[in-house]
Amino acid sequence: MERSQIRGLARLLLRHPERRDEIRRKVTENTQIKELCDAYEAACEAAEYWSRSSDPIAPARADEYRELAAATEEDILHAISLL
């Protein structure tokens, strides 16, 4: 797994400790979940970046990326439930 995939997976595991074993097992079985973990990490990093920015558009961008991260998290959990 790439570093960003590992970081995305780690974030997901922190948010869902009750499902850690299941998530770890299934992420190794499915390339799509690894790619979603990468996208999840990118969205989380972007949300963090914009939340620290003083740019006038920053609050709106941070919200957009938080929504994207939440939607990606849902996609990951859905993909895991299908396996």
Side-chain angles (χ1 to χ4, degrees):
M1 286 181 72
E2 296 178 17
R3 182 176 176 193
S4 60
Q5 292 172 337
I6 293 168
R7 291 186 66 190
L9 175 60
R11 285 182 194 263
L12 189 67
L13 295 174
L14 287 172
R15 290 196 32 86
H16 300 278
E18 73 285 354
R19 297 182 73 182
R20 283 183 181 162
D21 291 336
E22 174 191 18
I23 292 169
R24 281 188 186 118
R25 183 177 63 255
K26 291 188 176 179
V27 76
T28 61
E29 300 169 1
N30 190 291
T31 303
Q32 178 189 15
I33 297 173
K34 291 177 190 176
E35 291 170 1
L36 286 169
C37 286
D38 186 36
Y40 181 63
E41 176 62 17
C44 290
E45 284 183 351
E48 290 170 4
Y49 169 83
W50 284 108
S51 68
R52 292 187 306 268
S53 175
S54 60
D55 191 300
I57 194 74
R61 290 289 179 264
D63 287 343
E64 289 173 7
Y65 281 107
R66 279 192 284 272
E67 289 175 17
L68 180 59
T72 305
E73 181 177 331
E74 288 179 28
D75 289 345
I76 294 168
L77 295 175
H78 179 73
I80 286 170
S81 70
L82 296 176
L83 294 177

